[in-house]
Amino acid sequence: MNLIIIIVLSVVMVVMAITAIIHKKLAVAVIATGVVSLMASVMYLLMAAPDVAMTEAAIGSGLSTIIFFYVLNKIRKAK
Amino acid sequence: MIKNFFIIAILAGLAAIFVTLFWDFGDSETLTPLATHYATNGATEVGAPNLVTSIVVTYRGFDTLGEVTILFLVASIVSFFLKREKVQKEIAPKRETSEIILTAAKLLVPIVMLLGVYVFINGHLTPGGGFQGGAIIATAFVLLLMANPDFEINHKIIATVESVSGIAFVLIGVLGILLAGGFLDNKVLPLGTFGKIFSAGAIPLIYSFVGLKVGSELSNILSNLQGVQKEEM
Amino acid sequence: MEIIALITGFALILIGLYGILSKKNIIKIIVGFSLFDTGLHVLIVTVGYIKGGTAPILDSVVGTTNVASKIVDPVPQALVLTAIVIGLGVTALMLAYALKMYQAKKSLDISDFKDMKW
């Protein structure tokens, strides 16, 4: 069961990472990075690392996505 | 294109290194000697059920001190860079925040903050700790900023909380030299019963200060990056 | 299970490095850095995983005797915990620099910044 979940997670992560690099829109790229982080946090949970999973979910996919959007918003306003 | 060729060459070289690393990787069945020492003696030496916490706070407490220092430097550089202009006020008409976010923010902010405090106070018993709790407190500030974009976090309070908890963190470490085995030793306070909330010596105290410090630093970075500012160059 | 996680980590590192090297937009470069970071964390956690081990928390299930045969390696987890928080700090710093560079030249294209090129 765990094997199937981890295969699905890993496929989603790689696809999202490629999307983040090749997509033209910056907002889509930032969201895709957040999805990669969120999937990574589920993967840490399956690898018996709950501390790391909590940190990644709160910081990697929460705060850093928000920081990216704040900066994108500022760049849009400075135009 | 010579540039593309170089990129492909670098990536191919790295991939070759990864393939050799991959063939050398075997499923590990036993812990390394260092981890075995932490696992067998962690309960008696530190007294915290969560071994990751006992490594982060006690065995490798110096790393945590350096990490908190790096966060402090980042917060100060960001606020030095993106200084707010007080004179300039919003020119463009603002969008009204929706009623749902306003009400939800009022209800949720205290609960989210309480969750953050719970996470860092219970850091030695359950998964979690100062960094996670600090990040959760910072998300409460994000919710406040979303509900009210003009909301000004009181920078005096944040600076006070940040410096007081930083000084207290270092002071507990110095007390460890005087009263116990060395810098950041947790046996300043009695170890207590294994698995209770007031146990593991100074770990709950140290992690609470780390949590407050990380929370205030992250909130400071967020409020600096969020603020609408225009500067003349 | 470890092998799949290992491949994912390697793939994320390669994709992130490709983004850093080939993209012109500064925000895209920072996104590539972020992916590189995540891949590295997955890799380090995978190295510490032990087949059939549980989380390194000495609760009532694990007990306090003969712990070393039941848990996974806690040291890489502690290192990754530190690395994630520092990664956020570095990302915030890079974004602040990017914003400042945009305000200076009104452009996010890295090839417009040639002042220091020799």
Side-chain angles (χ1 to χ4, degrees), chain A residues 1-53:
Chain A
M1 189 62 205
N2 278 359
L3 196 68
I4 300 167
I5 296 175
I6 224 163
I7 289 173
V8 172
L9 286 176
S10 130
V11 169
V12 172
M13 275 165 83
V14 172
V15 170
M16 280 297 161
I18 294 172
T19 314
I21 293 295
I22 63 174
H23 205 283
K24 284 272 186 297
K25 274 191 176 167
L26 288 178
V28 177
V30 172
I31 289 285
T33 321
V35 172
V36 171
S37 269
L38 201 62
M39 296 295 147
S41 93
V42 181
M43 200 179 235
Y44 296 144
L45 202 61
L46 292 176
M47 309 280 271
D51 284 274
V52 185

Side-chain angles (χ1 to χ4, degrees), chain B residues 211-224:
Chain B
L212 287 176
K213 195 167 160 61
V214 170
S216 51
E217 277 159 357
L218 291 181
S219 318
N220 194 13
I221 293 174
L222 283 167
S223 77
N224 273 314

